[in-house]
Amino acid sequence: MKLIYSFFLCLLSTVSLFAADSISVSYDQLYVDNNANVYATTAQGIYKYNKNLVLQYSFEYNKYGAPSSIDLHIPMKVLLYFAAYNKFVVLDNRLAVVREIDINKINEDFNNVLCFSADNNFWMFDNSKQSLIKYNQNLSVIHQYENMNLRMNQFVQIQKMAETNNYLVLSDSATGFYVFDILGNYVTHFPLPGITSYQLIDNLLFYVLDLKLHSIDILTQYNKEYEILFDHTIKDFKISGSRIVLLTDKQIIMKDL
C-alpha cells in the first residue's frame, strides 16, 4: 500500500495525450488484468491486447448481445454477465468460452450483479431481494445473507461488485460503495455518488472527479487527490503497474507514470 501512495506522490505533471504507445480505435470501456493485459469493449465484442497494445484475441457478442457487466480481475478468467437472458459466460485467457451458466436454474427472478471470488467460486447480489449469495462451481449455496438493506440501513441498487485484497466491494451510483469481508460480513459504507468508472487496487479505489485522479481507502476512507489532470476527451482510464491506460473516442493511449 505504501508503494502505491509513494508512486503517485511522484507524479507532478499532467497526463499528456502524446504518448509513446497508442492505437487508433474506437471503444467504450477499458479493463486491465493483473498480468498487464488491456481489454477494450464495444457493443459488439471484447478485445484483448497485451501490455504493448498488440491485439491478441477477441470475442464477439453474437449470442446474447452486449453484457451488462464484466469481471476481469482474475487474469485466466473473464466473466460476462448478460442480464437480459440471466446468463453468464466464462472465457479463458484466449477469450474462448469454457462455461455458460443459466442463472434461471437458480432463481428465475434474479435481478443481480455478480463477480468471481478468489477461491474459484462466485458472488451474486440480488437487488430485488437485497441478498448477497456466494455459490460454488456446482451452483450450490456456500453463504447467503438476506435483508442486506437492513444491515446497510438503506435499500440499494448495486451495479458493480468485485473482490479486492480479501474484501468485497459493491457500488451503487446513487449512494456510493459498500464493503464486506470475504465471509460476507458488512464492514462499511462510504458515500461517493455519481462514480461509475473506477478501479480497485488493493485497498485503494481510484476514480476521476473534476478531471483529477483521486483515491479513497475503502477501509479508512482516507481520500487523496493526485497531481494528474485528465483531458475532457478521456472516456475511461485504468492503471496497469507503472503505466496508465487512457481511452478517448479515437484512441487507446498508454503512458508511463
Side-chain angles (χ1 to χ4, degrees):
M1 186 65 64
K2 291 181 180 178
L3 290 176
I4 295 176
Y5 280 120
S6 299
F7 181 73
F8 285 102
L9 284 172
C10 297
L11 299 176
L12 300 177
S13 61
T14 61
V15 173
S16 169
L17 294 185
F18 299 99
D21 299 311
S22 65
I23 52 174
S24 297
V25 290
S26 180
Y27 290 124
D28 299 324
Q29 286 185 294
L30 282 178
Y31 301 86
V32 295
D33 65 23
N34 293 334
N35 290 336
N37 297 302
V38 177
Y39 301 78
T41 64
T42 67
Q44 290 73 44
I46 182 169
Y47 306 87
K48 179 179 180 179
Y49 293 83
N50 65 16
K51 62 182 180 181
N52 298 315
L53 292 185
V54 177
L55 182 63
Q56 303 292 295
Y57 307 102
S58 64
F59 177 78
E60 302 294 329
Y61 307 140
N62 296 323
K63 194 171 182 181
Y64 301 122
S68 55
S69 64
I70 299 173
D71 182 7
L72 277 155
H73 78 279
I74 299 178
M76 299 300 289
K77 291 184 178 180
V78 177
L79 186 151
L80 308 176
Y81 174 54
F82 301 89
Y85 293 88
N86 220 9
K87 296 179 184 291
F88 72 84
V89 174
V90 180
L91 310 179
D92 64 15
N93 63 333
R94 296 187 177 186
L95 300 187
V97 176
V98 295
R99 191 176 185 189
E100 183 176 315
I101 297 178
D102 185 355
I103 301 175
N104 291 309
K105 295 179 179 179
I106 305 172
N107 189 328
E108 293 182 356
D109 300 319
F110 228 12
N111 174 19
N112 62 27
V113 292
L114 50 85
C115 72
F116 278 123
S117 176
D119 59 6
N120 207 32
N121 298 304
F122 56 93
W123 291 98
M124 292 188 184
F125 187 88
D126 190 324
N127 280 302
S128 298
K129 296 180 179 179
Q130 296 286 282
S131 63
L132 179 64
I133 309 168
K134 188 174 186 178
Y135 290 91
N136 63 20
Q137 291 295 310
N138 297 319
L139 303 185
S140 297
V141 175
I142 301 175
H143 302 295
Q144 185 166 353
Y145 306 90
E146 303 288 352
N147 300 318
M148 297 300 291
N149 54 319
L150 298 179
R151 300 174 69 181
M152 296 181 287
N153 200 30
Q154 62 187 143
F155 189 90
V156 297
Q157 285 293 303
I158 301 301
Q159 289 93 36
K160 297 180 182 179
M161 61 191 297
E163 271 195 14
T164 181
N165 206 27
N166 293 321
Y167 290 95
L168 181 66
V169 180
L170 285 67
S171 65
D172 179 339
S173 61
T175 59
F177 294 81
Y178 301 84
V179 182
F180 298 80
D181 65 23
I182 55 174
L183 297 177
N185 299 306
Y186 176 65
V187 177
T188 189
H189 162 247
F190 52 94
L192 199 61
I195 302 299
T196 58
S197 178
Y198 60 88
Q199 184 180 6
L200 287 162
I201 302 178
D202 294 328
N203 283 8
L204 294 181
L205 185 147
F206 291 90
Y207 62 98
V208 176
L209 183 64
D210 297 328
L211 298 181
K212 287 189 177 181
L213 182 68
H214 298 254
S215 72
I216 185 169
D217 189 297
I218 63 173
L219 299 179
T220 67
Q221 299 188 30
Y222 174 76
N223 203 319
K224 181 173 179 57
E225 179 181 294
Y226 299 100
E227 297 287 337
I228 299 181
L229 298 178
F230 283 75
D231 189 279
H232 281 90
T233 62
I234 302 298
K235 296 168 57 178
D236 199 3
F237 81 98
K238 289 295 181 292
I239 298 162
S240 180
S242 62
R243 312 188 84 183
I244 189 166
V245 188
L246 305 170
L247 178 67
T248 73
D249 285 332
K250 299 180 179 180
Q251 285 183 303
I252 294 178
I253 302 162
M254 185 174 285
K255 181 177 174 61
D256 292 329
L257 289 172

